Amino acid sequence: MNKQQHTRRRFLQHSALAMTGAALAGVGNAWSGTQTDSPPNILWLIGDDVGPQEFGCYGHPTIRTPNIDRLSRQGLRFSQAYVTTSSCSPSRSCLFTGKYPHSTGAENLHDPLPADQKILPELLRPRGYYSGNVAKCHLGAAAAAKFDRVLGKVDDWKQFLTERPKDRPFFLSVGFFDAHRNFDRGCVDPPHDPQDVIVPPFLPDAPEVREDLAAFYDETCRMDSVIGEIVQELESQGVLDNTLILFYGDNGMPFPRAKTTLYDSGILTPLVVHWPSRIAAGSVHHGLTSLVDLAPTMLECAGVPIPADVQGKSLLPQFLDPGIAGREYIFAEKNWHDLDDHSRAVCDGRFKYIRNAFPERPLPTAADCINSPTFRTMQAMRDAGTLSKEQMLLFRSRRNAEELYDLEYDCNEFRSLVDDPAYRSVLERLRGELDRWIEETNDVPPSKSYPDEFDGETGKRIHPPHK
């Protein structure tokens, strides 16, 4: 096994823990999600700019995430879950509607979700749910108004749980600001040691990068500690067993060649589900999963009909039996985020195909990543000629119109196989699947391009904020 294969297996392909007979019996209890069932409380815990590799339950040896790890041990972990876009607000629009970003009318960063797009709070309301959003929402004013309660600080979760109507089920989304830049280094005690970080191969192993990653770990750890407090409060209120908890991220880590890309570093996400009354402890689902499926899953679990225009499909079968197959393909997209872009991707678990509408442009990097210590270090190393050829891919002046990767042997997506005759049949198959999805979801290319808001080299603002 080569180093890249080992890395992918280490972080993403852990074997499922053995389930006890009692646990299997619990899974065997049929769950219909009908109007006659008692609907579960639903709690979403959304990490900001986090990928699966930053958590102990996904194999990280040194980061401190004991509470998320505990939820995983007591619940279900998805090892191949993907967001539909590696950009914050479009990702959240997808999560709350069950539709791909381009189908919501909010596919670009900062686009507000149109008022006619139905989101979970209003869909769950006829079932009696009391809904709330705490801290980051990023859906726009029309969507925010559809929650029963919107609170602005992360610590307001306790106010919501304390003051909620106790005779109604609740839906609560906690949108953490961690671990978005800028980082609050030393926000946990003790801070993470830069020597203990894992430097991804697409970043250079330099002191400045290690320090930057350590600060990122600190914020991830702080988020984890708040999650522990929330779970403890649910337990003290006696509602933990009937609360369906989901932890996941909105896009990849805020580092160059991760956030805003369609590589696994940008769209692969942690997904941990905890529902003691229904899900067996220590379960793992290894199939392909898309977070476009979360909204319809919540509706089925609550006994609410899934609207016909929802594009995702329920994951409840996988909740109850993790051995059930996952998706055959996942699809992802990239649109305007600080800099203009229009790219699409399809992945079957082994191979990923990416199509770039603007190959004449370099790979766009988010402004907060451009202005990071890591990016500045990479610029200096580029100019000094000390970056590896793989790390130099970040600075290519143009991209290929098509990219194809074998994730089994190239998990960092460094070597495109588009021109390799041995992979011609794979390329044609994935081309066809992407074309089919584009047609089915009416993914019409934009009628105009949006100007870049920031300079891709300096990170300085060069245009007024996107409207």
Side-chain angles (χ1 to χ4, degrees), residues 6 9 17 35 55 93 107 113 154 187 201 206 254 277 293 326 333 357 386 417 455-456 466:
H6 176 76
R9 173 170 292 186
L17 299 176
Q35 290 285 342
F55 298 93
S93 294
E107 64 266 34
L113 192 65
V154 171
C187 61
S277 64
D293 298 333
E333 61 188 86
T386 54
L417 303 169
D455 184 275
H466 165 65

mmCIF file of all heavy atoms in Angstrom, residues 6 9 17 35 55 93 107 113 154 187 201 206 254 277 293 326 333 357 386 417 455-456 466:
data_model
loop_
_atom_site.group_PDB
_atom_site.id
_atom_site.type_symbol
_atom_site.label_atom_id
_atom_site.label_comp_id
_atom_site.label_asym_id
_atom_site.label_seq_id
_atom_site.Cartn_x
_atom_site.Cartn_y
_atom_site.Cartn_z
ATOM 1 N N HIS A 6 -2.632 4.689 2.058
ATOM 2 C CA HIS A 6 -2.666 4.582 3.511
ATOM 3 C C HIS A 6 -3.356 5.781 4.129
ATOM 4 O O HIS A 6 -4.164 5.648 5.053
ATOM 5 C CB HIS A 6 -1.249 4.452 4.053
ATOM 6 C CG HIS A 6 -1.193 4.444 5.561
ATOM 7 N ND1 HIS A 6 -1.552 3.343 6.297
ATOM 8 C CD2 HIS A 6 -0.844 5.418 6.448
ATOM 9 C CE1 HIS A 6 -1.402 3.622 7.591
ATOM 10 N NE2 HIS A 6 -0.996 4.872 7.697
ATOM 11 N N ARG A 9 -7.144 5.567 3.560
ATOM 12 C CA ARG A 9 -7.743 4.545 4.416
ATOM 13 C C ARG A 9 -7.732 5.000 5.870
ATOM 14 O O ARG A 9 -8.712 4.827 6.593
ATOM 15 C CB ARG A 9 -6.990 3.229 4.264
ATOM 16 C CG ARG A 9 -7.448 2.155 5.244
ATOM 17 C CD ARG A 9 -6.863 0.801 4.913
ATOM 18 N NE ARG A 9 -7.405 0.289 3.666
ATOM 19 C CZ ARG A 9 -7.146 -0.925 3.206
ATOM 20 N NH1 ARG A 9 -6.370 -1.742 3.889
ATOM 21 N NH2 ARG A 9 -7.659 -1.325 2.074
ATOM 22 N N LEU A 17 -17.574 -0.724 13.492
ATOM 23 C CA LEU A 17 -17.449 -1.419 14.762
ATOM 24 C C LEU A 17 -18.526 -2.507 14.834
ATOM 25 O O LEU A 17 -19.627 -2.353 14.316
ATOM 26 C CB LEU A 17 -17.630 -0.438 15.921
ATOM 27 C CG LEU A 17 -16.598 0.703 15.982
ATOM 28 C CD1 LEU A 17 -16.955 1.645 17.125
ATOM 29 C CD2 LEU A 17 -15.210 0.131 16.198
ATOM 30 N N GLN A 35 -47.658 9.813 10.807
ATOM 31 C CA GLN A 35 -48.270 10.833 11.647
ATOM 32 C C GLN A 35 -48.626 10.294 13.028
ATOM 33 O O GLN A 35 -48.827 11.066 13.965
ATOM 34 C CB GLN A 35 -49.528 11.375 10.958
ATOM 35 C CG GLN A 35 -49.245 12.212 9.720
ATOM 36 C CD GLN A 35 -48.720 13.583 10.050
ATOM 37 O OE1 GLN A 35 -48.858 14.056 11.180
ATOM 38 N NE2 GLN A 35 -48.091 14.233 9.089
ATOM 39 N N PHE A 55 -11.060 15.258 12.781
ATOM 40 C CA PHE A 55 -11.771 14.698 13.921
ATOM 41 C C PHE A 55 -11.216 13.332 14.287
ATOM 42 O O PHE A 55 -10.859 12.532 13.419
ATOM 43 C CB PHE A 55 -13.271 14.610 13.618
ATOM 44 C CG PHE A 55 -13.876 15.956 13.367
ATOM 45 C CD1 PHE A 55 -13.964 16.454 12.079
ATOM 46 C CD2 PHE A 55 -14.287 16.754 14.418
ATOM 47 C CE1 PHE A 55 -14.476 17.720 11.837
ATOM 48 C CE2 PHE A 55 -14.793 18.017 14.194
ATOM 49 C CZ PHE A 55 -14.894 18.511 12.900
ATOM 50 N N SER A 93 -28.092 26.672 1.792
ATOM 51 C CA SER A 93 -29.354 26.714 1.048
ATOM 52 C C SER A 93 -29.762 25.318 0.606
ATOM 53 O O SER A 93 -30.937 24.949 0.660
ATOM 54 C CB SER A 93 -29.217 27.639 -0.160
ATOM 55 O OG SER A 93 -29.040 28.980 0.240
ATOM 56 N N GLU A 107 -27.199 30.092 -5.650
ATOM 57 C CA GLU A 107 -26.003 29.284 -5.894
ATOM 58 C C GLU A 107 -24.697 30.013 -5.673
ATOM 59 O O GLU A 107 -23.643 29.386 -5.559
ATOM 60 C CB GLU A 107 -26.035 28.708 -7.313
ATOM 61 C CG GLU A 107 -25.983 29.738 -8.412
ATOM 62 C CD GLU A 107 -27.355 30.148 -8.900
ATOM 63 O OE1 GLU A 107 -28.296 30.181 -8.083
ATOM 64 O OE2 GLU A 107 -27.496 30.430 -10.105
ATOM 65 N N LEU A 113 -31.600 33.187 -0.072
ATOM 66 C CA LEU A 113 -32.522 32.174 -0.560
ATOM 67 C C LEU A 113 -33.859 32.843 -0.879
ATOM 68 O O LEU A 113 -34.431 33.537 -0.030
ATOM 69 C CB LEU A 113 -32.708 31.087 0.499
ATOM 70 C CG LEU A 113 -33.403 29.799 0.082
ATOM 71 C CD1 LEU A 113 -32.579 29.055 -0.952
ATOM 72 C CD2 LEU A 113 -33.640 28.919 1.298
ATOM 73 N N VAL A 154 -23.567 31.889 19.522
ATOM 74 C CA VAL A 154 -23.500 30.436 19.705
ATOM 75 C C VAL A 154 -24.015 30.036 21.080
ATOM 76 O O VAL A 154 -24.741 29.047 21.234
ATOM 77 C CB VAL A 154 -22.054 29.935 19.491
ATOM 78 C CG1 VAL A 154 -21.929 28.474 19.895
ATOM 79 C CG2 VAL A 154 -21.638 30.110 18.031
ATOM 80 N N CYS A 187 -7.582 29.632 21.916
ATOM 81 C CA CYS A 187 -8.925 29.750 22.493
ATOM 82 C C CYS A 187 -9.284 28.548 23.356
ATOM 83 O O CYS A 187 -10.329 28.548 24.015
ATOM 84 C CB CYS A 187 -9.956 29.953 21.394
ATOM 85 S SG CYS A 187 -10.070 28.606 20.192
ATOM 86 N N PRO A 201 -0.764 16.789 2.145
ATOM 87 C CA PRO A 201 0.291 16.845 1.119
ATOM 88 C C PRO A 201 0.180 18.026 0.166
ATOM 89 O O PRO A 201 1.182 18.397 -0.451
ATOM 90 C CB PRO A 201 0.108 15.517 0.367
ATOM 91 C CG PRO A 201 -0.574 14.611 1.333
ATOM 92 C CD PRO A 201 -1.464 15.496 2.143
ATOM 93 N N ALA A 206 5.793 23.593 6.630
ATOM 94 C CA ALA A 206 6.587 24.740 7.060
ATOM 95 C C ALA A 206 6.071 25.209 8.423
ATOM 96 O O ALA A 206 4.898 24.992 8.752
ATOM 97 C CB ALA A 206 6.471 25.879 6.041
ATOM 98 N N PRO A 254 -10.558 25.800 5.674
ATOM 99 C CA PRO A 254 -10.242 27.090 5.055
ATOM 100 C C PRO A 254 -8.752 27.256 4.757
ATOM 101 O O PRO A 254 -8.072 28.143 5.295
ATOM 102 C CB PRO A 254 -10.728 28.100 6.098
ATOM 103 C CG PRO A 254 -10.532 27.399 7.405
ATOM 104 C CD PRO A 254 -10.823 25.947 7.123
ATOM 105 N N SER A 277 -32.596 6.073 20.378
ATOM 106 C CA SER A 277 -33.785 5.224 20.334
ATOM 107 C C SER A 277 -33.937 4.493 19.012
ATOM 108 O O SER A 277 -34.765 3.583 18.901
ATOM 109 C CB SER A 277 -35.037 6.066 20.605
ATOM 110 O OG SER A 277 -35.234 7.035 19.591
ATOM 111 N N ASP A 293 -29.429 15.127 0.764
ATOM 112 C CA ASP A 293 -30.384 14.163 1.297
ATOM 113 C C ASP A 293 -30.839 14.474 2.728
ATOM 114 O O ASP A 293 -31.750 13.807 3.230
ATOM 115 C CB ASP A 293 -29.779 12.758 1.267
ATOM 116 C CG ASP A 293 -29.454 12.276 -0.135
ATOM 117 O OD1 ASP A 293 -30.120 12.741 -1.080
ATOM 118 O OD2 ASP A 293 -28.520 11.461 -0.290
ATOM 119 N N GLY A 326 -25.275 2.891 -0.538
ATOM 120 C CA GLY A 326 -25.436 4.326 -0.655
ATOM 121 C C GLY A 326 -25.729 4.723 -2.089
ATOM 122 O O GLY A 326 -26.180 3.907 -2.903
ATOM 123 N N GLU A 333 -21.007 21.149 -7.224
ATOM 124 C CA GLU A 333 -20.881 22.300 -8.111
ATOM 125 C C GLU A 333 -20.102 23.419 -7.442
ATOM 126 O O GLU A 333 -19.994 23.479 -6.211
ATOM 127 C CB GLU A 333 -22.260 22.812 -8.513
ATOM 128 C CG GLU A 333 -23.123 23.277 -7.345
ATOM 129 C CD GLU A 333 -24.552 23.587 -7.790
ATOM 130 O OE1 GLU A 333 -25.377 22.640 -7.831
ATOM 131 O OE2 GLU A 333 -24.830 24.761 -8.100
ATOM 132 N N ALA A 357 -15.798 25.308 -16.607
ATOM 133 C CA ALA A 357 -16.275 26.178 -17.682
ATOM 134 C C ALA A 357 -15.274 27.277 -18.028
ATOM 135 O O ALA A 357 -15.312 27.822 -19.131
ATOM 136 C CB ALA A 357 -17.611 26.807 -17.288
ATOM 137 N N THR A 386 10.760 26.420 -3.927
ATOM 138 C CA THR A 386 10.889 25.342 -2.942
ATOM 139 C C THR A 386 9.591 24.563 -2.719
ATOM 140 O O THR A 386 9.548 23.682 -1.856
ATOM 141 C CB THR A 386 11.389 25.900 -1.596
ATOM 142 O OG1 THR A 386 10.530 26.964 -1.167
ATOM 143 C CG2 THR A 386 12.812 26.435 -1.727
ATOM 144 N N LEU A 417 -6.285 12.005 -15.147
ATOM 145 C CA LEU A 417 -6.191 10.876 -16.070
ATOM 146 C C LEU A 417 -7.010 11.093 -17.341
ATOM 147 O O LEU A 417 -7.272 10.141 -18.078
ATOM 148 C CB LEU A 417 -6.670 9.605 -15.358
ATOM 149 C CG LEU A 417 -5.932 9.252 -14.062
ATOM 150 C CD1 LEU A 417 -6.674 8.143 -13.320
ATOM 151 C CD2 LEU A 417 -4.502 8.848 -14.350
ATOM 152 N N ASP A 455 -8.611 40.278 -5.522
ATOM 153 C CA ASP A 455 -7.491 39.895 -6.364
ATOM 154 C C ASP A 455 -7.001 38.514 -5.934
ATOM 155 O O ASP A 455 -6.770 38.267 -4.741
ATOM 156 C CB ASP A 455 -6.368 40.927 -6.255
ATOM 157 C CG ASP A 455 -5.217 40.623 -7.186
ATOM 158 O OD1 ASP A 455 -4.332 39.827 -6.790
ATOM 159 O OD2 ASP A 455 -5.203 41.164 -8.304
ATOM 160 N N GLY A 456 -6.844 37.617 -6.896
ATOM 161 C CA GLY A 456 -6.473 36.243 -6.588
ATOM 162 C C GLY A 456 -5.056 36.062 -6.099
ATOM 163 O O GLY A 456 -4.705 34.996 -5.590
ATOM 164 N N HIS A 466 -20.418 41.530 -3.969
ATOM 165 C CA HIS A 466 -21.344 40.907 -4.914
ATOM 166 C C HIS A 466 -22.768 41.072 -4.444
ATOM 167 O O HIS A 466 -23.097 40.864 -3.268
ATOM 168 C CB HIS A 466 -20.991 39.431 -5.052
ATOM 169 C CG HIS A 466 -22.056 38.606 -5.704
ATOM 170 N ND1 HIS A 466 -22.433 38.786 -7.005
ATOM 171 C CD2 HIS A 466 -22.834 37.604 -5.217
ATOM 172 C CE1 HIS A 466 -23.381 37.916 -7.308
ATOM 173 N NE2 HIS A 466 -23.637 37.200 -6.247
#
